[in-house]
Amino acid sequence: MTYEIQPAGSHYIDGAYVEDTAGAEIPVIYAATGERIATLHAATPAIVEQALVAAEKAQAEWAKLSPRERGRVLTHAAAIMRERNHDLSVLETYDTGKPLQETLVADATSGSDALEYFGGLAASLTGEHIPLGEDWVYTIREPLGVCVGIGAWNYPTQIACWKAAPALACGNAMVFKPSETTPLCALKVAEILTEAGAPAGLFNVVQGMGEVGASLVTDSRVAKVSLTGSVPTGRKVYAAAADGMKHVTMELGGKSPMLVFDDADIDNAVGGAILGNFYSSGQICSNGTRVFVQKGIKEAFLARLNERLKDAVIGDPLDEATSFGPMVSEQQMTIVQGFIEKGVAEGARLVAGGKRIDRDGWYLEPTVFADVTDDMTIAREEIFGPVMSVLDFDTEEEAIARANATEYGLSAGVFTSDLSRGHRVIGQLRAGSCFINSYNDAPVEAPFGGVKMSGVGRENSKAAIEHWSQMKSVYVRMGDVEAPF
Ligand code: NDP
């Protein structure tokens, strides 16, 4: 890799790296070995101020450009990112511990897809003309202003790009706070945007824990907050943003159902369940962690799943043959171990995995519980680790009702060879991002986001534009004004 892991500064503000060692130390730990690979510092109030001032100044200039000119910068950034995919993927692996086999195809590539898509869309973002007889109204699509992005630790490059790309396309500037667990990758996104021609200050990165995020959310210069994180954090950030009447996008957690009917292609259903539970060691918000399998194929499903689990290559994430890596941190591993213990204690049948792997780093075995019931902790709470719960069901109506009996509503999937059933069932599942005979695809062209406690707003697709811009309407009277006196 040509990148140094230790960045030139902890923060990226006004087009350059900035350091302030007065901020609390943020150690960056490589999840595969437990070693410290870099040291950064949390933003002090002075750093946060610098970032907001830079963003405000850049936004005023950026909004004056034609949307086509803005789009050109984003598509150029997409091309640079794609060209450097290998180095960015290695850095993503160091930041998160995810296997290179995944990061090469799911992180900088997804980030550049977003930059390319919204770069291309920029020039077609318009208002409309509304005829009213002689008079008329026209609408102008305007930026919101300075926006804040706050990221989770599972997809640091992708989250930064999914927020920055539509925000900048609409004429906004952004201050982005990565998770303190994975602070490295967003800095590269900032560097690349500058190189692609974005004005200094348009996309700034400040490091820190929750309080840095909170200080951004409550600042009166900030017009919008987009958070990717857990429901408890979402509640706090949403409430703080509401106090300032700010726009929000909330991409929060889930406990999504995957329904496998008797007539499903078993290998595809097992493949979907593997993708939806073990990719990124299960650290994906939209995962289908409640796998409802119809009783007729339950044992066949479990047998095939067990066979395919033997093909997992667990090892060094930098080896491209590795298909299953460590958890992001010791803390996350400990949380997940606690859920596994609860699963056993509450009577679920452990059919695979369940243990820490005897090697350096934070590795847990891919774990499967069968005979899980709806009331068990592992069926109710988001685990965010490699733990699949298999539940069985008799009828379609029952499966739908049980799938919906959760406070979450991020994703849902159905495996069946009866397409009318596929559409009928998906139509009744209360979730935002759904799949038929597939799981966890997230192309930038499709809206992504949840219902109920899983979130507010949508990322990606044309739908995101509504969340990063606002409409001004202008009434134009062609005749005289009629006043009562
Ligand atoms: P957290 O909710 O713990 O943190 C998310 C971000 O918010 C972090 O950068 C965190 O900072 C910051 N933060 C914490 N408290 C505050 C606050 N009071 N004000 C402002 N910012 C704050 O989530 P995790 O990082 O643990 O990520 C896992 C969660 O993210 C899971 O629930 C998962 O489902 C969800 N997620 C949702 C996705 C979606 O698109 N729907 C995608 C990916 C993950 P720090 O941690 O540095 O202190």
Side-chain angles (χ1 to χ4, degrees):
M1 182 172 72
T2 49
Y3 288 141
E4 291 289 332
I5 297 176
Q6 174 70 45
S10 294
H11 320 287
Y12 193 94
I13 298 173
D14 214 6
Y17 278 97
V18 177
E19 187 55 276
D20 180 354
T21 51
E25 211 173 89
I26 300 178
V28 186
I29 308 294
Y30 182 37
T33 60
E35 286 166 322
R36 184 191 285 227
I37 51 170
T39 302
L40 279 70
H41 292 90
T44 55
I47 289 285
V48 170
E49 179 63 20
Q50 232 176 297
L52 286 168
V53 168
E56 214 176 17
K57 184 162 155 275
Q59 197 270 325
E61 291 309 309
W62 180 245
K64 285 184 200 149
L65 294 182
S66 74
R68 183 168 38 77
E69 290 171 299
R70 297 203 292 259
R72 196 182 297 146
V73 171
L74 299 186
T75 47
H76 187 188
I80 298 175
M81 205 171 242
R82 203 157 282 140
E83 213 178 271
R84 298 195 193 145
N85 182 46
H86 190 270
D87 285 356
L88 291 166
S89 304
V90 173
L91 189 71
E92 175 97 17
T93 291
Y94 277 117
D95 218 3
T96 61
K98 291 184 294 181
L100 191 57
Q101 189 188 92
E102 288 185 15
T103 56
L104 282 169
V105 296
D107 294 283
T109 50
S110 165
S112 62
D113 284 354
L115 289 162
E116 185 175 60
Y117 178 86
F118 288 105
L121 207 59
S124 61
L125 302 179
T126 57
E128 61 178 341
H129 170 265
I130 304 163
L132 294 168
E134 199 180 59
D135 296 348
W136 43 286
V137 165
Y138 65 95
T139 62
I140 307 172
R141 187 175 290 281
E142 293 190 334
L144 302 173
V146 174
C147 300
V148 163
I150 301 178
W153 41 256
N154 56 347
Y155 279 78
T157 305
Q158 187 192 85
I159 292 172
C161 292
W162 281 19
K163 297 189 190 308
L168 304 191
C170 290
N172 305 290
M174 179 166 278
V175 179
F176 184 80
K177 190 202 85 69
S179 163
E180 73 186 87
T181 311
T182 54
L184 302 175
C185 293
L187 294 166
K188 288 293 162 202
V189 174
E191 235 185 76
I192 288 171
L193 280 163
T194 301
E195 198 178 329
L202 190 68
F203 181 74
N204 309 278
V205 177
V206 296
Q207 308 292 350
M209 296 73 170
E211 64 265 22
V212 171
S215 72
L216 288 166
V217 173
T218 48
D219 193 282
S220 61
R221 286 163 289 189
V222 170
K224 150 137 200 171
V225 181
S226 176
L227 169 81
T228 298
S230 61
V231 170
T233 303
R235 270 205 190 93
K236 282 189 229 159
V237 172
Y238 199 171
D243 199 48
M245 213 56 80
K246 298 177 201 297
H247 297 250
V248 294
T249 298
M250 293 282 140
E251 290 291 352
L252 308 177
K255 190 74 201 174
S256 302
M258 186 184 294
L259 275 48
V260 181
F261 286 91
D262 276 350
D263 61 359
D265 177 298
I266 290 207
D267 255 308
N268 282 335
V270 167
I274 287 173
L275 280 175
N277 283 274
F278 301 131
Y279 202 73
S280 300
S281 291
Q283 303 163 115
I284 297 183
C285 51
S286 49
N287 272 354
T289 48
R290 288 183 297 146
V291 183
F292 290 90
V293 183
Q294 204 160 15
K295 279 189 180 143
I297 55 158
K298 178 183 137 187
E299 290 308 327
F301 176 91
L302 287 171
R304 189 68 190 114
L305 177 62
N306 244 319
E307 271 168 35
R308 286 188 53 178
L309 282 177
K310 293 192 188 99
D311 295 336
V313 181
I314 304 174
D316 174 6
L318 289 166
D319 178 349
E320 275 187 59
T322 297
S323 58
F324 184 87
M327 309 288 311
V328 74
S329 65
E330 186 172 20
Q331 189 196 4
Q332 189 61 19
M333 182 185 70
T334 308
I335 293 172
V336 176
Q337 283 175 308
F339 277 108
I340 294 173
E341 280 162 23
K342 274 199 182 130
V344 172
E346 293 177 15
R349 174 163 59 109
L350 185 65
V351 292
K355 291 192 299 295
R356 182 172 178 185
I357 295 170
D358 183 21
R359 55 176 295 150
D360 287 342
W362 327 125
Y363 287 81
L364 278 182
E365 291 174 332
T367 298
V368 181
F369 281 105
D371 303 339
V372 176
T373 53
D374 298 348
D375 55 333
M376 289 180 185
T377 308
I378 55 169
R380 285 186 289 107
E381 295 184 19
E382 185 183 46
I383 299 175
F384 226 60
V387 182
M388 183 193 303
S389 292
V390 179
L391 308 93
D392 35 67
F393 71 94
D394 288 303
T395 68
E396 183 179 310
E397 296 68 32
E398 174 206 340
I400 293 168
R402 290 171 57 200
N404 283 333
T406 166
E407 63 170 1
Y408 295 111
L410 187 50
S411 290
V414 177
F415 281 86
T416 174
S417 55
D418 175 351
L419 267 188
S420 26
R421 167 150 63 193
H423 294 292
R424 183 173 67 235
V425 172
I426 279 292
Q428 295 174 77
L429 291 176
R430 293 202 291 277
S433 301
C434 298
F435 312 91
I436 297 179
N437 291 330
S438 188
Y439 208 85
N440 262 353
D441 314 79
V444 65
E445 294 86 350
F448 182 83
V451 302
K452 300 198 279 181
M453 293 305 285
S454 290
V456 173
R458 290 293 177 269
E459 293 198 301
N460 289 342
S461 81
K462 285 183 255 177
I465 297 303
E466 299 307 321
H467 301 291
W468 291 103
S469 60
Q470 58 198 343
M471 293 309 241
K472 174 183 277 176
S473 75
V474 183
Y475 189 104
V476 181
R477 184 175 294 282
M478 302 302 283
D480 293 330
V481 173
E482 280 180 32
F485 53 85

